[in-house]
Amino acid sequence: MITDIESATPALCRLQLGSELRSLRLAAGLKASQVVRKLLWSPSKLTRLETGENSSVEQADVMALCEIYGAGEETRARLTGYAAVTKTRRDWWQSPEYRPAIRPVFKAFLGLEATATALHNYEPEFVPGLLQTEDYVRVIHERAHQGLSPEEVDRLVAVRMTRQEVLRRKDSPLRLTAIINEAVLRRHVGGPNLMRAQLTHIVEVAEELPNVRVQVVPFSAGAHAGMNGSFFVLHFPEGAAPKSIVYLESLADAWVGRREPDIARFTDAFTDLQALAPGPQESLRMIKTAIKEL
């Protein structure tokens, strides 16, 4: 339950609203198919509501569900309050300055990231996005997305830098555990000076913020569970549905996984990587050594 709806973000309200609506449906002993038949909705409409995927939610829809589920007046007021927030406020990525730079699937990820309590990220090729410097972000986008105008690159950089605010938000900052391959430290993105500043930034953030943990998988570790590529596992507040999701991204596409077998597979892979990599202090020493060698 959100205790301060006045300061809650639309993304958080959508997630909490969906979670509570699903709990009410289950408590009423109703299947999703029964509910959509009563309301003459498409099955996907209820699914989007319960998973918090809609950008905004109609209060009338919430009231209709509360009526079917037999929700009390206090619950109805709270849930319609959540819906009101989704109609009257915007998440930062929905503003005109950012919207052109964000693909639909990535927009969904941003909503999930903004409401997650913890994020586990493995990266074999580059510094995790939440730990990148502006100069590093710019070089990555200029190289990976050749042909973009300077304005388009600027928007992509702005999106990446704004995302990082989740690590320093006032209420429940995101707990980030980032595991990187040693190759990330050795690849001179943008040249030695830029890379030195980037690695120094990782160390400073990890040492400053208790909610940030960084580990490095050394070359000497050999084969490991992350060799198929980067991935994210996001974990959400207690009582949320789903409890966790998996996010994968490539140049061509992105994928959000909600199935329990998928989540378990990537959670296990991340656990294996955590056990394989040196602990945070030794990993930071590896990064500091890489800085000296640049």
Side-chain angles (χ1 to χ4, degrees), residues 25-38:
R25 176 173 62 79
L26 295 176
L30 294 171
K31 295 180 179 179
S33 58
Q34 294 174 295
V35 174
V36 297
R37 278 200 300 269
K38 283 178 179 287

Side-chain angles (χ1 to χ4, degrees), residues 2 5 8-18 81-83 85-86 89 115:
I2 300 171
I5 196 170
T9 65
L12 181 58
C13 286
R14 287 195 300 272
L15 181 70
Q16 187 64 32
L17 173 61
Y82 294 158
V85 169
T86 74
R89 300 180 204 163
T115 55

Side-chain angles (χ1 to χ4, degrees), residues 148-159:
L148 292 179
S149 68
E151 292 76 17
E152 289 172 314
V153 173
D154 286 344
R155 281 196 290 265
L156 289 168
V157 172
V159 168

Side-chain angles (χ1 to χ4, degrees), residues 181-292:
N181 193 303
E182 186 178 351
V184 174
L185 311 183
R186 305 300 176 181
R187 181 168 289 107
H188 294 181
V189 174
N193 289 337
L194 189 155
M195 200 62 203
R196 187 178 297 110
Q198 172 61 81
L199 297 182
T200 299
H201 177 71
I202 295 174
V203 173
E204 290 175 346
V205 172
E207 291 183 337
E208 175 194 355
L209 301 180
N211 53 305
V212 175
R213 174 189 177 109
V214 179
Q215 291 178 259
V216 179
V217 178
F219 291 139
S220 59
H224 57 77
M227 295 185 73
N228 285 328
S230 65
F231 62 89
F232 300 78
V233 182
L234 294 93
H235 303 282
F236 301 101
E238 185 177 352
K243 296 179 180 178
S244 304
I245 65 103
V246 173
Y247 179 77
L248 306 177
E249 186 175 29
S250 69
L251 279 174
D253 201 2
W255 175 77
V256 175
R258 301 174 185 273
R259 295 174 59 250
E260 287 295 333
D262 296 325
I263 295 167
R265 185 177 303 115
F266 283 95
T267 298
D268 288 346
F270 197 83
T271 300
D272 289 347
L273 288 167
Q274 280 188 291
L276 183 65
Q281 293 306 314
E282 186 176 346
S283 291
L284 290 183
R285 284 195 290 271
M286 288 179 65
I287 297 174
K288 292 173 182 178
T289 297
I291 293 171
K292 293 177 182 178

Side-chain angles (χ1 to χ4, degrees), residues 4-200:
D4 184 9
I5 196 170
E6 294 299 320
S7 62
T9 65
L12 181 58
C13 286
R14 287 195 300 272
L15 181 70
Q16 187 64 32
L17 173 61
S19 176
E20 292 196 38
L21 286 173
R22 182 174 183 274
S23 295
L24 285 171
R25 176 173 62 79
L26 295 176
L30 294 171
K31 295 180 179 179
S33 58
Q34 294 174 295
V35 174
V36 297
R37 278 200 300 269
K38 283 178 179 287
L39 295 174
L40 301 180
W41 287 0
S42 67
S44 62
K45 178 173 180 176
L46 183 60
T47 298
R48 290 195 303 272
L49 274 172
E50 291 190 354
T51 56
E53 293 180 17
N54 288 343
S55 59
S56 63
V57 180
E58 298 294 337
Q59 289 179 297
D61 289 342
V62 174
M63 287 300 294
L65 291 172
C66 285
E67 184 68 27
I68 291 174
Y69 302 153
E73 289 302 318
E74 183 178 340
T75 298
R76 295 182 188 213
R78 183 174 68 254
L79 298 189
T80 53
Y82 294 158
V85 169
T86 74
K87 299 288 287 184
T88 57
R89 300 180 204 163
R90 280 183 174 177
D91 292 302
W92 65 263
W93 56 86
Q94 294 177 323
S95 64
E97 61 186 298
Y98 297 119
R99 199 162 49 226
I102 300 173
R103 294 181 295 172
V105 174
F106 190 59
K107 181 175 71 173
F109 171 77
L110 290 174
L112 294 167
E113 183 180 71
T115 55
T117 54
L119 170 60
H120 293 168
N121 180 199
Y122 171 67
E123 292 293 351
E125 292 295 331
F126 50 77
V127 172
L130 294 180
L131 298 175
Q132 293 175 358
T133 64
E134 184 172 340
D135 289 339
Y136 186 94
V137 176
R138 189 172 298 280
V139 170
I140 290 291
H141 282 306
E142 289 174 345
R143 186 69 184 89
H145 305 284
Q146 293 184 16
L148 292 179
S149 68
E151 292 76 17
E152 289 172 314
V153 173
D154 286 344
R155 281 196 290 265
L156 289 168
V157 172
V159 168
R160 183 64 52 84
M161 303 314 294
T162 304
R163 274 181 60 201
Q164 297 179 3
E165 294 176 5
V166 296
L167 298 178
R168 299 175 183 274
R169 63 193 178 198
K170 182 178 179 181
D171 296 321
S172 303
L174 181 70
R175 300 193 307 276
L176 171 66
T177 302
I179 302 178
I180 57 177
N181 193 303
E182 186 178 351
V184 174
L185 311 183
R186 305 300 176 181
R187 181 168 289 107
H188 294 181
V189 174
N193 289 337
L194 189 155
M195 200 62 203
R196 187 178 297 110
Q198 172 61 81
L199 297 182
T200 299

